Amino acid sequence: MAEAATGLDLGHVAALLAAGVVAVPVFRKIGLGSVLGYLAAGAAIGPFGLALFREPEVILHVAEFGVVIFLFIIGLEMRPKRLWGMRNEIFGLGAAQVGLAGLALTLVAMAAGVSAPVAFVGAMGFVMSSTAVIVQMLEERGDLPTPQGQRAVSILLFEDLAIVPLLAIVAILAASVGTASESATPLWQTIGLAVAAVAGVLVAGRYAINPAFRFLARNGGREVMTAAALLVVAGTAWIMDEVGLSMAMGAFLAGVLLSDSTFRHQLEADVEPFRAILLGLFFLSVGMALDIGVVINDWRIVVAGLLAFMLVKALVIYVVARLFKARHHEAIERAALFAQGGEFAFVLYGAAAAGGVIDGQASAALTAIVILSMALTPLTTLAMKRWLPKEAGLSPEEAEGVDAAEGLRGQVLIIGFGRFAQVVSQPLLARDVDVSIIENDVEMIQAAGNFGFKVYYGDGTRLDTLRASGAGKAEAVLVCVDKPEAADRIVQLVKSEFPGVKLFVRAFDRGHSLRLIAAGVDYHIRETFESALKFGEAVLVDLGVSEDEAAETIADVRRRDAARLDLQVTGGLTARRSMMRGNAVTPEPEPYIKPSRPGRLLNEDEAGPPAPDLAPQNEERAD
């Protein structure tokens, strides 16, 4: 094979794009995720695979901008007030996880015979989890906006902050045990520059960025606004990098400062395409950086270090999560997600190698361990998802403010307390009707408690729960659940065990209405029927139809629907389709040969009045 060029030409760009286009869909198809696809593709085309690229670090430096934009977009979703509300998770949970995991990994490395400085550097580099891998996986799974996802982001933010003191500690180690010169920047100066840079960015974001964007919006084009958005991201990241902070932290800070801006959505739309491409390029370059030769030559050290670091780190993360009151399921998920090193390890190991704290061989072995751990993360999370029993939800016994249904005596029993039942309850409570409410969603029960409702935990599809909820003594049972199968089961139980109780049931669609009529319920209503009629009436009035005519039209629609439903009870769902108006023109049948004169009745005296036009207008929808 011809020697690969050190620079990038059009062929290299095509190779990068082809690697991602081929590998990512394949890996996603087999359930391994896009991250592992990019890493595998990078290893295949890198200097230790097909050798299409000799210097992956060149691509890595460019592709790091994808991580920067990723953090900027996350920052745009974090309002300052919301970020302040996460301070306990950032500085409490984040500090505990980083500190305890770093201590445990350092002790493990020292127990294996590694010197204390090398053990500390290797452990702390591995503690810094990969922001790119974790956030990408959370986003693909749809977990990023959830409370669990936000706690993961909090930990990552603390790790971004922790890189500053860690680099300072490496500088101190280099001065004492390494080869650092006495001209290195003093620690106090590094910290002072970092604080000044953060303060400068805060001031600029508060007083300068919004006026600048308003000026550009009036006098520039769309391409200028896009360039300005990229300038904010790149400029803030560059400033933070120059003073020793992480670029990702700078981009996140810029996003937070612009989260209250009127230009927030436009900024996000402008930079999103760059984020997707560059983040994929980042994973490709990380895969290229895996030195297969080191893995083969030092495979015992690499494999032992990989297993020891991942297992110990996962165990510590699980313990910390449980100490901070996370449920067992969430703690295991976090341990599987964070049990890997990250891109900050490359920075820390590079600084330690440059200062003589660790030698080149140790740096190569540690880097290989980190890259392999990043590649294993999608596999470990996949295995965890497959073998870990699915979480049943918050247990009612452990949930605060949730009581089981027992000995209820309400005049009316409401089963299910979603949006429909919440509205239904209002006229009853307004007339001081004694209402009992049961629901089987613990989080819904807790949320209802915040609005002044006492809702009891109970599954209405169980006979023992219906008895405990007072269904036999109630005058009426209101079935307001949103699942038709559950409603049918409740109706069956109540009609069988409590035949004297009146049943009012929320119907899902027309087919469900027919089943409820057949079951003999006292009243039912399709959940969207009346609201849709009011909606249509408002549209007619807005289009110029008088209120009386609009009301008459709606009454006609209601009459036709009721008549059609009566016919469907005996004739089935497709009966009397012609009574439902449609917007499709129904073609009139025509004869092949047109008659020369119109037809006439043979006995006109026996003819009745003309038949109504009941030609079918449209196929019926199961509304």
Side-chain angles (χ1 to χ4, degrees):
M1 180 179 294
E3 187 178 8
T6 58
L8 286 179
D9 57 23
L10 196 58
H12 292 97
V13 175
L16 288 171
L17 294 175
V21 168
V22 171
V24 172
V26 172
F27 276 74
R28 294 192 70 170
K29 176 69 176 176
I30 60 180
L32 298 179
S34 60
V35 174
L36 190 57
Y38 280 121
L39 293 173
I45 65 175
F48 308 103
L50 298 176
L52 299 180
F53 299 86
R54 176 184 294 176
E55 299 176 353
E57 60 274 7
V58 175
I59 301 174
L60 182 61
H61 289 318
V62 176
E64 282 178 346
F65 195 52
V67 182
V68 168
I69 294 180
F70 207 169
L71 267 293
F72 175 73
I73 292 175
I74 294 174
L76 285 175
E77 302 298 328
M78 293 278 188
R79 304 291 176 91
K81 185 180 294 185
R82 184 180 176 190
L83 189 63
W84 177 250
M86 295 168 59
R87 63 189 183 279
N88 292 333
E89 284 81 10
I90 296 174
F91 295 101
L93 178 59
Q97 179 169 309
V98 170
L100 292 177
L103 176 62
L105 293 180
T106 301
L107 294 177
V108 167
M110 291 178 64
V114 180
S115 64
V118 176
F120 174 80
V121 171
M124 297 313 298
F126 198 86
V127 164
M128 301 289 106
S129 303
S130 174
T131 300
V133 171
I134 291 174
V135 177
Q136 177 78 2
M137 293 183 65
L138 288 173
E139 187 180 51
E140 288 181 357
R141 286 157 39 180
D143 292 341
L144 197 55
T146 64
Q148 296 91 333
Q150 294 302 291
R151 281 189 282 272
V153 171
S154 300
I155 297 169
L156 294 171
L157 290 178
F158 182 83
E159 292 178 356
D160 285 347
L161 291 171
I163 193 65
V164 179
L166 285 175
L167 288 172
I169 294 173
V170 168
I172 294 172
L173 290 174
S176 59
V177 301
T179 59
S181 64
E182 296 182 358
S183 61
T185 305
L187 179 60
W188 66 268
Q189 187 175 339
T190 301
I191 296 175
L193 285 172
V195 172
V198 171
V201 170
L202 290 173
V203 171
R206 180 73 175 83
Y207 298 105
I209 292 182
N210 275 327
F213 272 103
R214 279 194 292 269
F215 174 81
L216 293 174
R218 289 193 302 266
N219 302 288
R222 179 62 185 267
E223 69 281 359
V224 176
M225 292 290 289
T226 303
L230 293 174
L231 175 61
V232 169
V233 179
T236 311
W238 173 73
I239 291 172
M240 294 300 169
D241 186 55
E242 286 295 305
V243 299
L245 289 165
S246 73
M247 292 191 296
M249 188 65 203
F252 176 82
L253 186 60
V256 171
L257 293 175
L258 290 170
S259 60
D260 287 323
S261 170
T262 56
F263 303 97
R264 179 171 70 92
H265 297 293
Q266 182 174 342
L267 288 170
E268 186 172 358
D270 286 340
V271 302
E272 173 66 25
F274 299 96
R275 189 273 300 180
I277 293 293
L278 289 174
L279 195 61
L281 188 60
F282 170 78
F283 291 126
L284 281 171
S285 58
V286 170
M288 293 180 200
L290 179 62
D291 192 335
I292 305 297
V294 171
V295 176
I296 294 175
N297 293 333
D298 299 330
W299 68 271
R300 291 183 179 84
I301 296 175
V302 171
V303 172
L306 177 66
L307 294 177
F309 273 17
M310 290 190 72
L311 290 174
V312 172
K313 185 180 179 184
L315 179 61
V316 173
I317 291 172
Y318 176 83
V319 171
V320 170
R322 296 293 283 170
L323 288 176
F324 279 79
K325 302 195 179 207
R327 299 195 298 274
H328 170 71
H329 195 280
E330 181 185 347
I332 291 182
E333 281 192 334
R334 191 184 304 164
L337 196 60
F338 277 82
Q340 101 288 98
E343 53 272 9
F344 286 131
F346 308 145
V347 178
L348 199 65
Y349 296 160
V357 180
I358 60 177
D359 58 27
Q361 183 180 3
S363 177
L366 289 170
T367 301
I369 290 173
V370 170
I371 294 174
L372 288 174
S373 71
M374 293 170 67
L376 284 176
T377 299
L379 296 175
T380 56
T381 54
L382 182 65
M384 179 270 303
K385 285 277 187 187
R386 178 165 297 179
W387 298 109
L388 187 67
K390 192 168 185 179
E391 190 175 27
L394 189 60
S395 170
E397 293 80 13
E398 299 176 355
E400 184 179 352
V402 177
D403 298 322
E406 185 65 42
L408 305 185
R409 295 290 185 271
Q411 183 181 357
V412 173
L413 172 63
I414 297 178
I415 303 176
F417 201 61
R419 293 171 298 172
F420 186 90
Q422 291 163 22
V423 177
V424 169
S425 69
Q426 292 306 289
L428 302 177
L429 296 173
R431 301 297 297 178
D432 294 325
V433 175
D434 186 13
V435 176
S436 298
I437 308 171
I438 64 172
E439 168 64 60
N440 63 356
D441 186 332
V442 174
E443 294 182 358
M444 176 64 75
I445 295 173
Q446 292 179 323
N450 296 330
F451 291 91
F453 291 96
K454 180 58 181 177
V455 182
Y456 293 89
Y457 178 83
D459 183 357
T461 61
R462 294 169 55 95
L463 180 58
D464 57 342
T465 299
L466 291 175
R467 293 188 189 279
S469 303
K473 297 180 174 59
E475 293 185 25
V477 172
L478 280 54
V479 183
C480 302
V481 297
D482 58 0
K483 292 182 175 58
E485 299 82 7
D488 291 342
R489 172 64 177 164
I490 296 170
V491 168
Q492 179 188 1
L493 288 174
V494 174
K495 294 295 290 183
S496 173
E497 301 295 330
F498 317 110
V501 177
K502 292 184 177 179
L503 267 171
F504 295 74
V505 188
R506 166 193 185 182
F508 178 73
D509 56 16
R510 203 171 194 84
H512 191 205
S513 292
L514 296 176
R515 295 202 304 273
L516 294 175
I517 293 173
V521 303
D522 296 275
Y523 179 82
H524 80 278
I525 186 171
R526 300 198 303 279
E527 56 189 14
T528 59
F529 182 69
E530 288 296 332
S531 59
L533 289 181
K534 294 298 293 181
F535 191 93
E537 183 178 4
V539 174
L540 289 177
V541 172
D542 189 70
L543 293 176
V545 180
S546 69
E547 292 186 1
D548 291 340
E549 291 177 335
E552 184 179 347
T553 302
I554 296 301
D556 176 65
V557 173
R558 187 180 281 109
R559 283 193 301 270
R560 289 169 66 93
D561 184 84
R564 188 161 58 97
L565 186 61
D566 289 339
L567 294 170
Q568 288 174 324
V569 170
T570 56
L573 190 62
T574 59
R576 219 56 171 171
R577 293 179 300 179
S578 58
M579 297 185 69
M580 189 172 186
R581 296 181 176 92
N583 67 340
V585 178
T586 303
E588 293 289 341
E590 295 183 1
Y592 287 108
I593 302 175
K594 188 174 182 179
S596 58
R597 54 191 174 85
R600 61 185 180 85
L601 296 173
L602 295 176
N603 188 356
E604 296 183 356
D605 294 335
E606 297 297 326
D613 181 14
L614 295 179
Q617 297 288 328
N618 191 20
E619 291 296 321
E620 177 180 5
R621 293 163 291 179
D623 56 344

